[in-house]
C-alpha cells in the first residue's frame, strides 16, 4: 500500500474488511456467522430457562397449596408442556393402575415404586437433554473461534511480510494496514468466543440446577406415593 494513501479511514472496520485478503475475509465472515449463531442460542436459552423456572415455581406452589395431587394434575391438562406436571401425571397413573388391582403384596408395592422411579428418571433425563441442547454449539464457538481468528491473523501477517519483500520498504505505513487487517481477524474471533464461553458456563450451571430441581420434585413425589401405599396397607 502506498504510504501516502494511508488515512485514519484506512483503519475503520469496513475498510479493513474490504482490503483484507480473501482468506482473511472468509475467516472474518465465518467468525461473524459463528457469533450470530451463538447469540441466537444465548437469547433462546435466556428466555427458555426463565420460562421453565417460572412455570416450575408456579406448579410447585400449586402442589404445596394443600390441594389433592389429582386436582393439580387434572388442572395441568392432558399433555402439559412442562416436565413437573408430566412427572406428577405419570406417577399418579401408575398409582391408579395399582389401586385398581386391589390389595398389593409387599413385592408388588416395591415393584410399583420402582416403576414410578424409572418413569420419573426417564422424564428427568429427557428434559435435561432438551434444556442442554445447543450448549455443545456454544462450546465449539468458544473453543474454536480464537484459533480460527489466529489463523486469519497469521495469514494476514504473512501477506504483510510479502508486501515488505515486494516493495523493499519496511516503513510502518506500508505494513500497518496489513497487520491491522490480520489483527482484526483475531479481534472478531475473541468477540465470538468470549460471549459463547461465558454463556456456556452460565447455562451449564443453570441446566444443572434445573435438573436438580426436577430430581428434588421427583423425590418428594415418590415419597408421597410411598406414603399413600403405606396408609393403604
Amino acid at each position: 500500500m502506498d504510504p501516502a494513501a494511508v488515512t485514519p479511514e484506512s483503519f475503520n472496520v469496513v475498510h479493513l474488511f474490504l482490503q483484507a485478503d480473501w482468506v482473511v475475509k472468509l475467516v472474518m465472515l465465518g467468525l461473524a456467522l459463528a457469533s450470530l449463531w451463538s447469540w441466537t442460542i444465548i437469547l433462546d436459552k435466556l428466555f427458555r430457562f426463565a420460562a421453565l423456572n417460572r412455570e416450575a415455581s408456579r406448579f410447585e406452589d400449586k402442589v404445596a397449596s394443600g390441594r389433592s395431587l389429582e386436582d393439580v394434575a387434572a388442572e395441568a391438562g392432558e399433555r402439559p408442556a412442562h416436565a413437573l406436571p408430566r412427572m406428577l401425571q405419570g406417577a399418579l397413573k401408575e398409582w391408579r393402575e395399582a389401586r385398581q388391582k386391589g390389595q398389593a403384596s409387599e413385592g408388588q408395592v416395591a415393584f410399583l415404586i420402582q416403576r414410578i422411579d424409572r418413569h420419573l428418571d426417564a422424564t428427568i433425563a429427557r428434559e435435561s437433554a432438551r434444556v442442554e441442547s445447543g450448549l455443545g454449539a456454544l462450546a465449539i464457538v468458544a473453543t474454536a473461534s480464537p484459533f480460527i481468528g489466529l489463523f486469519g491473523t497469521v495469514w494476514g501477517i504473512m501477506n504483510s511480510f510479502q508486501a515488505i519483500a515486494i516493495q523493499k520498504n519496511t516503513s510502518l505505513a506500508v505494513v500497518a494496514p496489513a497487520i491491522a487487517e490480520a489483527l482484526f481477524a483475531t479481534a472478531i474471533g475473541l468477540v465470538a468466543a468470549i460471549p459463547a464461553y461465558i454463556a456456556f458456563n452460565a447455562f451449564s450451571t443453570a441446566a444443572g440446577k434445573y435438573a436438580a430441581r426436577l430430581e428434588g420434585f421427583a423425590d418428594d413425589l415418590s415419597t408421597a406415593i410411598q406414603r399413600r401405599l403405606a396408609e393403604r396397607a
Side-chain angles (χ1 to χ4, degrees):
M1 179 178 288
D2 184 4
V6 177
T7 63
E9 287 73 21
S10 300
F11 296 94
N12 66 48
V13 172
V14 176
H15 191 273
L16 288 175
F17 174 78
L18 294 177
Q19 296 301 317
D21 181 82
W22 67 271
V23 174
V24 181
K25 284 182 180 178
L26 288 178
V27 169
M28 292 179 181
L29 287 174
L31 291 172
L33 290 176
S35 180
L36 180 62
W37 183 26
S38 66
W39 274 107
T40 301
I41 297 173
I42 290 170
L43 294 176
D44 175 71
K45 292 299 179 186
L46 281 173
F47 290 109
R48 187 182 300 273
F49 276 114
L52 286 173
N53 285 304
R54 184 169 56 250
E55 184 63 28
S57 298
R58 187 181 298 117
F59 189 77
E60 287 172 346
D61 290 340
K62 291 180 180 179
V63 173
S65 64
R67 298 166 55 191
S68 68
L69 296 179
E70 286 78 7
D71 291 343
V72 175
E75 186 179 328
E78 293 184 1
R79 294 183 179 179
H82 200 275
L84 293 188
R86 292 203 307 270
M87 293 165 66
L88 176 59
Q89 290 177 354
L92 290 178
K93 179 182 177 182
E94 296 287 348
W95 154 256
R96 285 193 300 268
E97 291 177 354
R99 186 177 59 182
Q100 291 171 358
K101 295 178 181 178
Q103 189 69 26
S105 64
E106 184 176 346
Q108 291 173 327
V109 169
F111 184 64
L112 170 61
I113 295 173
Q114 188 178 26
R115 287 205 316 271
I116 293 174
D117 288 340
R118 280 202 304 267
H119 168 76
L120 297 177
D121 290 341
T123 303
I124 293 172
R126 287 193 299 268
E127 186 68 11
S128 297
R130 189 171 70 89
V131 299
E132 290 175 358
S133 64
L135 296 186
L138 290 179
I140 292 173
V141 174
T143 54
S145 293
F147 296 102
I148 297 174
L150 182 61
F151 168 75
T153 297
V154 172
W155 189 274
I157 291 176
M158 287 170 56
N159 289 335
S160 69
F161 282 122
Q162 289 177 1
I164 293 174
I166 293 172
Q167 298 185 26
K168 297 181 175 58
N169 188 348
T170 58
S171 170
L172 188 61
V174 173
V175 299
I179 293 177
E181 296 163 7
L183 294 177
F184 186 48
T186 297
I188 295 178
L190 293 176
V191 167
I194 292 173
Y197 178 79
I198 295 173
F200 173 77
N201 286 279
F203 292 140
S204 295
T205 302
K209 290 181 178 179
Y210 182 69
R213 189 172 192 173
L214 296 181
E215 291 172 358
F217 182 81
D219 291 340
D220 293 341
L221 186 56
S222 180
T223 301
I225 297 296
Q226 292 180 43
R227 188 181 301 113
R228 286 189 175 191
L229 291 171
E231 292 173 353
R232 184 183 174 192

